[in-house]
Amino acid sequence: TEDKLRLLRAVRFASVLGFKIEPKTFAVVRKLAPRINEVSQERVRDELVKMFTGPDPALALTLLDKSGLLKEVLPEVEKMKGVQQPRKYHPEGDVFRHTKLLLAQLKRPEPVLAFGCLLHDVGKPATFKRADRIRFNGHDTVGARMTEAILTRLRFSNDYKEKVLACVDGHMRIKD
């Protein structure tokens, strides 16, 4: 188990300490990424918290994605890739890029803020519709349900889940 946890630790050290992962090592991480599922969810959670509360949460997300670990530990976030948004409101592009740009604004955030930002639009892929324009009706509510499932899977405390869920479920109220 400890060997498999090193897959996540390589990404964490690179994103938190500014290391570059040597290409041959990164190739091994990509090859072994599916084996991360043999590690306990609590240990995965602890590594994710350290990554997303570090100095560069956006780099952590990028490295998780490029390593293949994202689709293993947070498949719901990986599904945001390629989900278009209305250019009028989101000229930056798809939901994944939007989330990564949000994370890039954070420097050593508190865990609730980090995961609230990471998961705020997790419901968009499930609610994508084309009508008069691209719409994501109810993505905040759907996202909150998905967030609860993700945080439960990762064994976060009920108190922590409640706080992150409030962020995800309430993030559209801020604009109103």
Side-chain angles (χ1 to χ4, degrees):
T1 301
E2 191 67 31
D3 289 344
K4 293 158 194 104
L5 188 62
R6 289 185 178 139
L7 301 170
L8 279 174
R9 286 189 175 154
V11 170
R12 176 170 57 98
F13 291 152
S15 67
V16 172
L17 301 173
F19 294 162
K20 272 208 172 267
I21 302 173
E22 191 271 331
K24 288 180 184 176
T25 302
F26 203 65
V28 170
V29 171
R30 280 195 303 272
K31 179 181 175 187
L32 297 177
R35 304 223 25 220
I36 197 62
N37 294 308
E38 298 171 25
V39 175
S40 76
Q41 291 296 302
E42 292 87 350
R43 298 196 69 193
V44 169
R45 173 203 62 214
D46 292 347
E47 290 299 319
L48 292 174
V49 168
K50 290 173 185 174
M51 283 180 216
F52 290 118
T53 60
D56 197 343
L59 178 59
L61 182 62
T62 297
L63 292 174
L64 283 170
D65 180 38
K66 288 183 178 181
S67 69
L69 289 165
L70 183 64
K71 72 179 175 184
E72 300 297 332
V73 298
L74 291 169
E76 303 88 347
V77 173
E78 201 262 344
K79 287 179 181 168
M80 294 190 295
K81 291 169 54 180
V83 176
Q84 296 176 336
Q85 300 187 101
R87 286 225 175 263
K88 179 179 177 182
Y89 304 104
H90 293 287
E92 71 277 4
D94 73 13
V95 179
F96 186 79
R97 181 163 169 69
H98 166 76
T99 299
K100 193 161 64 167
L101 287 172
L102 177 58
L103 291 175
Q105 302 304 307
L106 305 179
K107 305 296 179 225
R108 299 196 181 279
E110 292 296 316
V112 169
L113 178 61
F115 279 83
C117 289
L118 175 67
L119 299 172
H120 82 283
D121 278 346
V122 74
K124 281 189 171 181
T127 59
F128 178 91
K129 296 267 188 289
R130 284 193 190 270
D132 55 321
R133 65 171 175 83
I134 294 171
R135 295 203 176 268
F136 303 99
N137 296 333
H139 81 274
D140 47 351
T141 304
V142 170
R145 284 195 305 267
M146 292 174 70
T147 296
E148 183 171 24
I150 293 165
L151 298 179
T152 298
R153 180 178 74 230
L154 292 171
R155 312 285 195 270
F156 279 97
S157 72
N158 288 335
D159 180 58
Y160 182 83
K161 283 191 288 190
E162 185 179 305
K163 291 174 183 172
V164 176
L165 288 172
C167 293
V168 173
D169 193 39
H171 83 272
M172 292 302 290
R173 291 185 194 106
I174 294 168
K175 73 167 186 57
D176 294 333

